[in-house]
Amino acid sequence: MVCGLAILALALAFDRPLSLWAQTAPRPVVDFMAAITGYGESGWILYPAGLLYALTAGVALFTRWRLMRTILWQFVALYAFVFVAVGAPSLFTTLAKRLVGRGRPMHFADTGLFGVHWNWADWTYQSFPSGHATTAVALALAIGFLSARWFYPALVYALAIAASRVILGVHYPSDVFAGAVVGGVGAYAVRLAFARQGWMFRLDPNGRVVARPLSSLRRYLLIKRRGIAPAPQPGRP
């Protein structure tokens, strides 16, 4: 409820003026935003993650060396987490924007801020929420959950994608804000679901989520440096 009221207030107060102001950005800025905005599409994340998931799972099924099989399954869990953390909120946004049918800024003269046209195919009436912002924020958080050191670079990417949608005139600021909320809530929900299953994360005694990505690989590399890593048995891949 609070989030919904915040989005409505943002739309009423700032959507139109901020949209017009952003579209006056200098040509080099617009060109740069046009070049990067495609990286907010979910396909460039979901297709590789899904393919790596399938290939790694296939190899793991036929790997007899127990340690290597465990490591491979942890990679499978990693790819699955990225896929679901990005894919689930992106799917929600894909459906929601078609049900809402909000007109993009290009339709302001005809429909105003809240003109709607329920549809499945007309992208110009699929403004709210922003799918690119959803994907970018979900990916940034997924990366941050796995490795804190990469969170801020990923956050810069997410902010750039979100800004590009307003500068290019295809979304209002409230669309982007709503997409970011969906991406953030979705990524947190997926992390919690994985933690409850013990996949990539775990719940500590205080109920906090703790990351443990590729723990077997880390242990193996540590003991290998010490010269005591187990070797595969002859004849086992």
Side-chain angles (χ1 to χ4, degrees), residues 114-208:
F114 302 108
V116 297
H117 173 61
W118 296 278
N119 73 97
W120 191 259
D122 186 356
W123 71 275
T124 66
Y125 279 93
Q126 297 173 6
S127 191
F128 182 91
S130 166
H132 285 65
T134 299
T135 296
V137 171
L139 178 61
L141 285 175
I143 291 173
F145 293 154
L146 296 170
S147 177
R149 74 173 66 179
W150 289 104
F151 171 67
Y152 288 106
L155 182 61
V156 171
Y157 146 80
L159 292 174
I161 295 298
S164 75
R165 307 309 288 166
V166 182
I167 290 173
L168 295 175
V170 292
H171 280 293
Y172 291 109
S174 60
D175 300 330
V176 170
F177 180 74
V181 170
V182 173
V185 172
Y188 269 97
V190 171
R191 183 184 68 156
L192 179 60
F194 271 60
R196 287 175 173 170
Q197 298 298 322
W199 302 334
M200 300 302 298
F201 305 93
R202 63 178 177 83
L203 293 172
D204 70 10
N206 295 319
R208 293 175 298 186

Side-chain angles (χ1 to χ4, degrees), residues 33-125:
M33 291 301 180
I36 69 168
T37 195
Y39 292 104
E41 297 177 359
S42 59
W44 78 273
I45 304 163
L46 299 183
Y47 292 137
L51 179 61
L52 288 169
Y53 171 89
L55 291 176
T56 308
V59 174
L61 289 172
F62 294 97
T63 298
R64 290 177 290 174
W65 184 21
R66 183 176 179 181
L67 175 60
M68 182 56 64
R69 185 171 65 247
T70 299
I71 293 172
L72 288 173
W73 281 120
Q74 289 184 351
F75 271 104
V76 170
L78 171 64
Y79 302 139
F81 172 70
V82 172
F83 185 93
V84 179
V86 174
S90 295
L91 176 61
F92 177 88
T93 294
T94 297
L95 297 174
K97 63 173 26 180
R98 286 162 170 77
L99 294 174
V100 173
R102 185 187 191 187
R104 295 182 187 267
M106 63 189 73
H107 288 302
F108 179 81
D110 300 321
T111 63
L113 281 177
F114 302 108
V116 297
H117 173 61
W118 296 278
N119 73 97
W120 191 259
D122 186 356
W123 71 275
T124 66
Y125 279 93

